[in-house]
Every structure is written in structure tokens, then in C-alpha cells.
Amino acid sequence: MGYLSGKTVLVTGASSGIGRATAIAFAREGARVAVCARREDRLKDLETELTEAGAAGVHTFSLDVSQRSAVEQTLKALPEEWRAIDVLVNNAGLSRGLMKVYEDDPQNWEEMIDTNVKGLLYVTRAIVPGMVERGSGHVVNMGSTAGYMTYANGAVYCATKAAEKAISEGLKIDLMGTAVRVTSIDPGMVETEFSEIRFRGDKERAAKVYQNITPLKPEDVADAIVWAASRPPHVNIHTVVMTTIDQANSVVFHRHG
Ligand code: 8X3
């Protein structure tokens, strides 16, 4: 039996992309997997997939992490057997627009900051005290290469990922003296619905982002998350920065052909 077998994992933003792949990867390790997302209908298929993949238990629920009182109430009201979370994957996040900051719609900033920064904080605030009390736990936050280097027209998205980096570092410091681990997983370009959501459904524009590039797949990132979470309890992986072979940093890509 592996390290993650029977452990209880909570993945936010699990209805697609990295979150979904991560939930499946933990299920394959025999973990008990709780998944939430705004789109609960999309979690129903996932529930079956997780069971088939080998999850020791599955719990799905709807949650918009940007809504503070919903986060507090929903996580407090989790069924008794799902309250002791061993691994929290703060994956929920999004990008909106690619525009000059002085021309952008503030609604875009609010959505990104409310989900990527405040949402991560709300869920962390609700789950980590239990980890501290139980003397074990692991918080895995979804960062990005965007948190290391700002790219054109992405000031606010990059700012949210720089905030994630600072929050992960700060949380690790705050948890010193406890056995709770903190990891930031920081991928570059990953082929998910990320760009389609950024461009509000413009599939053609989204496809261009990945044109002639072999991007990372959600499963590649899920692999790294499961690897970090399955180290022996005294090992804290702080960050994993990962890109496709075709990406050097936020702005340098190799496009084939
Ligand atoms: C996603 C990476 O470079 O597409 O966080 O913004 S990037």
C-alpha cells in the first residue's frame, strides 16, 4: 500500500483540467477523494471515474471558492467522515482577458483576484486549523511561472500568481513547528480550458496560444502534485517549477515549423 492509500484529499476546481487530472491521480493511489467546483453537474461524471480509478471513497460538492461565507459554511458542514483533510489541493483558479492594465475591465481583475487569491485564502483558512490540530497535513497550492515573470497584458493574472507564491512561502513560515507541509506547484503553459476561459469562449484565439507548441498536459502537473504529496512526512517540497520542453519562462517559447 502506498503512502497516499486511504488518505483524504480535497481538490478545488476539480471539474476540468489540472484539478480533474489531480483528483484522478489521487484516486489511482487509493486515496479518498473529495472534489468541488462551481459546476457540480460536471462532477457527476468525475465521481464515477474516480471510483473506477480506485478511490477509497468519493465525495462531490459544489463550491465557488470566491464566496467567503459559502466556503466557510460548506466546509464546516462537510460530512463528519470528510472533515479531516490530509491533503488540500488549492487548484481553483482562472484567468480573464489579456489586456493592458489601464484599458482592462475591472470585472476581470475582480474575478481573478477573488478566485486565485482570496478563494485560496478562504479555503486554506477553513482547512488548515484542523491539520494543525491533528498534527499532520499538506497544502498544495497551484502557482504558475506567471508568478515569477510578468508577461505583456497579463499584469493582474501574474500578480495573482505572485501573490500565491508569497502566500505559500508565508504559510510555510507560519506552520513552522507543526507537521503541516506546504508546496507550490508552478507550471507554465498547460493545455486545458485555461485560454478558452481567459478569452471567454473564443476557441480560435485559445487554440493559437498552443499553436506549434507541445504544451504540458494536466496529467503532467497531476503527477508532480502526487509526487510532492507522497514524499515521506519529514520532506517538504517547497516548489516545483515545470514547463514543456518548448518553454523557457513566461515569455520565451519555441514554436515548431
Ligand atoms: C498559466 C501559465 O503562462 O499561460 O498559469 O499564464 S501562463
Side-chain angles (χ1 to χ4, degrees), residues 86-102:
D86 296 303
V87 183
L88 163 64
V89 184
N90 270 321
N91 164 73
L94 80 175
S95 68
R96 285 293 197 195
L98 197 58
M99 287 189 78
K100 289 184 191 298
V101 77
Y102 62 87

Side-chain angles (χ1 to χ4, degrees), residues 51-193:
T51 306
E52 284 171 5
V58 180
H59 180 60
T60 67
F61 58 100
S62 137
L63 186 64
D64 179 348
V65 300
S66 70
Q67 302 301 312
R68 184 167 73 164
S69 55
V71 171
E72 288 166 358
Q73 283 163 25
T74 307
L75 296 180
K76 205 182 279 176
L78 277 175
E80 181 72 39
E81 67 277 19
W82 286 98
R83 282 192 205 147
I85 304 295
D86 296 303
V87 183
L88 163 64
V89 184
N90 270 321
N91 164 73
L94 80 175
S95 68
R96 285 293 197 195
L98 197 58
M99 287 189 78
K100 289 184 191 298
V101 77
Y102 62 87
E103 292 172 346
D104 203 355
D105 179 346
Q107 171 71 30
N108 288 336
W109 310 337
E110 277 158 15
E111 276 190 68
M112 291 187 279
I113 293 168
D114 287 355
T115 307
N116 304 3
V117 183
K118 290 160 79 178
L120 179 147
L121 285 168
Y122 298 152
V123 177
T124 301
R125 180 69 183 86
I127 299 293
V128 171
M131 292 179 169
V132 172
E133 213 173 285
R134 290 187 300 278
S136 76
H138 193 158
V139 180
V140 180
N141 290 331
M142 191 49 56
S144 169
T145 49
Y148 294 75
M149 185 187 280
T150 306
Y151 52 78
N153 301 317
V156 177
Y157 176 73
C158 294
T160 66
K161 292 301 174 178
E164 177 281 336
K165 188 168 175 286
I167 291 166
S168 296
E169 286 169 10
L171 182 62
K172 171 66 191 159
I173 295 166
D174 293 345
L175 285 165
M176 289 306 288
T178 79
V180 181
R181 306 189 284 185
V182 182
T183 301
S184 179
I185 301 286
D186 306 336
M189 192 181 274
V190 186
E191 192 162 23
T192 62
E193 290 176 352

